[in-house]
Amino acid sequence: MAGGNAIRGSRVGAGPMGEAERGESAPRLRVSFWCANGHETRPSFASDAQIPDGWDCPRCGFPAGQNRDNPPDPPRNEPYKTHLAYVRERRSEADGEAILAEALAKLRGEI
């Protein structure tokens, strides 16, 4: 058993910190934001701060807005695209045929 006259779990300077030590806190303003799932988030801002138009819902991650009846739409999840899908967006079928013919000609030693 450890001896000594220190109180377990305490440290120097530990104790209640009130406004006397920290100073007065800035006036705050609580603003409500709602997401598409109906979750309400109420972050607090300094009264002189610029309030953002949107906020991320901490429960579901959807964007939230200040209008309860018309919250922002949830983001659309784009399906995963393969490299070939991106190539097909950039090139037409005729372009692909021309590139393939050129590559085959190089392999055959025609160029």
Side-chain angles (χ1 to χ4, degrees):
M1 192 181 239
N5 41 356
I7 300 173
R8 291 185 86 187
S10 67
R11 63 180 190 267
V12 175
M17 279 186 55
E19 289 191 10
E21 292 182 28
R22 289 186 301 201
E24 293 185 28
S25 59
R28 305 302 262 167
L29 175 66
R30 292 187 75 79
V31 179
S32 293
F33 292 92
W34 287 274
C35 71
N37 288 335
H39 302 138
E40 180 183 12
T41 304
R42 296 193 63 207
S44 63
F45 299 95
S47 61
D48 59 346
Q50 183 178 356
I51 308 299
D53 294 332
W55 197 260
D56 289 337
C57 178
R59 291 181 64 189
C60 63
F62 284 175
Q66 294 181 26
N67 187 348
R68 182 179 198 164
D69 299 327
N70 189 18
D73 293 328
R76 293 182 51 211
N77 289 336
E78 296 292 328
Y80 174 76
K81 288 186 184 178
T82 63
H83 175 69
L84 183 58
Y86 283 110
V87 169
R88 286 182 176 161
E89 285 180 0
R90 291 192 318 262
R91 308 264 188 208
S92 68
E93 193 73 28
D95 291 340
E97 291 293 329
I99 292 171
L100 178 62
E102 183 182 336
L104 289 174
K106 280 184 183 178
L107 285 174
R108 293 180 183 137
E110 298 171 3
I111 294 181

